[in-house]
């Protein structure tokens, strides 16, 4: 999650983070947000109560994208985007709720995950933020979807934020866990206080060749560790973990992961075709789409304080704190609360 961070007490290392973007721009506190919603009291995730049917594939841009789909083909579309190191099963309990409400639910594997593959061996295995957002616009185009509610967490939240910022005409609403996650290499050049840097240990590990080799050799163990530390009260079962684990066997997963984190620190170049997008994103554009942001009360991963990003949403806006020991993988840990936000964003 790109951004300079002010830390506060949390369960993971006793630290949480605040975005540099909002700090530098003097973002208003939540007292000035357009709508502070009462905190829903969700049940925790059901740990694999449902499963997807047969996955689909579609050629979109530089990728053949693997995705799950649920709900009526003629329903309004919601695009659900997963994070790192997770996969589409973060939404296995969210999808049927939205489908039963009449939504066409699309849940793609991001580049480097699951059954998504590059169409050419010559395409750069690029994990920069703009590339992932362009992928998802291409995915919607390939399915002839003109507009959608976009929703996500972690990498998925950043991708959804970018889609809403750069292609507002495509986004009828936004649901973003941990709020505004758009960043830039320039922002990330600025060092953080030592305690805040500590929570980014894996980013610095990935900056080394030892880290790349270590992640390649121990991917599943690494992923399990991140799941545990990012969601310290989520008692996921081996069955739940093993259902998602094959997504990380994707032949490009390690390369995309390493490039993503090295690009953030300016240690790896992006592609020139994304330069214009990155210049726009470096200005930290305001998002105009109706938005609901969410935060779990037990998020052990680095994340901004909600007061830091309220001013980045100029349209109808609510923030919801989700209680009950909810960690970083909010849609899987609190599917009812996440689905409710998607359903409610259209009513703002």
């Amino acid at each position: 999650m790109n951004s300079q961070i002010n830390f506060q007490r949390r369960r993971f290392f006793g630290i949480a983070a605040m975005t540099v973007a909002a700090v530098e721009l003097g973002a208003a506190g939540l007292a000035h947000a357009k709508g502070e919603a009462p905190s829903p009291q969700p049940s925790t995730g059901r740990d694999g109560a449902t499963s997807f049917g047969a996955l689909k594939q579609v050629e979109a841009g530089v990728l053949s994208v693997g995705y799950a789909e649920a709900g009526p083909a003629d329903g309004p579309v919601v695009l659900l985007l997963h994070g790192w190191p997770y996969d589409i099963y973060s939404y296995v309990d969210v999808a049927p709720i939205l489908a039963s409400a009449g939504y066409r639910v699309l849940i793609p594997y991001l580049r480097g995950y699951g059954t998504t593959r590059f169409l050419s061996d010559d395409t750069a295995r690029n994990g920069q933020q703009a590339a992932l957002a362009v992928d998802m616009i291409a995915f919607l185009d390939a399915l002839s979807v003109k507009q959608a509610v976009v929703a996500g967490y972690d990498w998925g939240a950043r991708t959804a934020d970018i889609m809403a910022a750069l292609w507002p005409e495509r986004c009828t609403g936004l649901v973003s866990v941990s709020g505004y996650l758009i960043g830039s290499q320039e922002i990330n050049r600025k060092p953080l206080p030592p305690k805040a840097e500590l929570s980014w240990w894996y980013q610095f590990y990935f900056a080394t060749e030892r880290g790349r080799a270590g992640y390649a050799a121990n991917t599943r163990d690494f992923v399990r560790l991140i799941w545990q530390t990012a969601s310290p009260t989520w008692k996921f079962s081996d069955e739940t973990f093993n259902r998602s684990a094959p997504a990380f066997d994707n032949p490009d997963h390690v390369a995309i992961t390493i490039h993503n984190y090295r690009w953030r620190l300016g240690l790896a170049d992006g592609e020139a075709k994304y330069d214009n997008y990155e210049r726009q994103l470096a200005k930290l554009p305001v998002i105009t789409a109706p938005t609901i942001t969410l935060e779990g009360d037990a998020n052990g991963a680095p994340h901004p304080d909600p007061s830091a990003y309220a001013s980045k949403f100029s349209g109808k806006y609510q923030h919801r704190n989700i209680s009950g020991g909810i960690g970083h993988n909010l849609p899987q840990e609190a599917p009812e609360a996440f689905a409710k936000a998607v359903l409610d964003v259209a009513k703002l």
Side-chain angles (χ1 to χ4, degrees):
M1 288 130 270
N2 294 344
S3 304
Q4 185 176 349
I5 300 169
N6 290 327
F7 51 93
Q8 57 182 303
R9 288 196 179 276
R10 295 280 182 182
R11 299 189 182 190
F12 178 52
F13 298 126
I15 300 164
M18 178 176 286
T19 60
V20 68
V23 171
E24 292 185 342
L25 293 178
L30 281 181
H32 303 293
K34 295 180 180 63
E36 173 78 25
S39 174
Q41 301 296 319
S43 65
T44 56
R46 287 164 282 181
D47 200 22
T50 60
S51 183
F52 296 120
L55 299 185
K56 300 181 178 182
Q57 294 286 140
V58 64
E59 290 192 5
V62 300
L63 300 172
S64 172
V65 178
Y67 66 102
E69 182 171 355
D74 60 350
V77 175
V78 57
L79 177 67
L80 302 179
L81 302 174
H82 68 82
W84 173 87
Y86 304 92
D87 80 326
I88 62 173
Y89 282 98
S90 290
Y91 296 106
V92 71
D93 292 315
V94 172
I97 300 173
L98 298 178
S100 67
Y103 276 89
R104 181 186 181 190
V105 186
L106 302 174
I107 316 170
Y109 282 112
L110 300 182
R111 55 169 59 191
Y113 294 81
T115 59
T116 291
R117 296 290 188 274
F118 286 91
L119 296 174
S120 172
D121 290 340
D122 297 329
T123 302
R125 273 38 179 178
N126 178 357
Q128 74 182 101
Q129 61 179 357
L132 274 70
V134 170
D135 287 347
M136 291 301 102
I137 292 295
F139 175 68
L140 294 181
D141 288 345
L143 296 179
S144 299
V145 173
K146 294 182 178 180
Q147 293 184 314
V149 173
V150 292
Y153 68 100
D154 194 81
W155 288 21
R158 180 176 300 105
T159 302
D161 289 347
I162 292 171
M163 293 174 71
L166 298 187
W167 294 274
E169 73 281 1
R170 306 297 296 270
C171 301
T172 58
L174 170 67
V175 174
S176 181
V177 177
S178 298
Y180 190 90
L181 298 178
I182 297 172
S184 72
Q185 290 176 319
E186 182 61 31
I187 287 172
N188 289 330
R189 287 190 181 98
K190 299 178 181 179
L192 308 177
K195 288 185 179 179
E197 296 280 24
L198 179 62
S199 62
W200 284 107
W201 67 271
Y202 53 88
Q203 179 170 255
F204 304 118
Y205 182 62
F206 290 159
T208 68
E209 176 55 25
R210 179 187 177 94
R212 187 208 61 76
Y215 190 55
N218 305 291
T219 305
R220 293 193 180 191
D221 287 343
F222 200 106
V223 169
R224 185 183 285 273
L225 174 64
I226 295 295
W227 282 29
Q228 291 168 340
T229 55
S231 298
T233 69
W234 180 32
K235 305 303 181 185
F236 58 88
S237 66
D238 287 343
E239 180 182 4
T240 293
F241 181 82
N242 290 336
R243 182 179 57 189
S244 291
F248 316 119
D249 296 335
N250 181 292
D252 300 305
H253 177 72
V254 172
I256 294 297
T257 298
I258 298 302
H259 185 269
N260 178 284
Y261 287 102
R262 290 183 180 180
W263 179 87
R264 297 190 199 194
L265 295 177
L267 301 176
D269 293 332
E271 292 179 84
K273 65 181 180 180
Y274 301 117
D275 285 352
N276 183 51
Y277 297 127
E278 295 296 353
R279 282 191 291 268
Q280 295 178 67
L281 296 173
K283 297 176 182 178
L284 305 175
V286 170
I287 292 172
T288 60
T291 299
I292 295 176
T293 57
L294 305 171
E295 191 58 78
D297 64 342
N299 186 355
H303 61 280
D305 187 273
S307 65
Y309 52 70
S311 67
K312 302 306 296 178
F313 302 99
S314 65
K316 296 177 181 178
Y317 174 67
Q318 289 182 0
H319 176 76
R320 299 178 179 181
N321 293 308
I322 310 303
S323 60
I326 304 304
H328 190 58
N329 184 5
L330 193 149
Q332 194 162 4
E333 297 175 63
E336 294 89 352
F338 191 91
K340 187 175 190 306
V342 172
L343 297 173
D344 288 350
V345 75
K347 305 172 187 176
L348 291 183

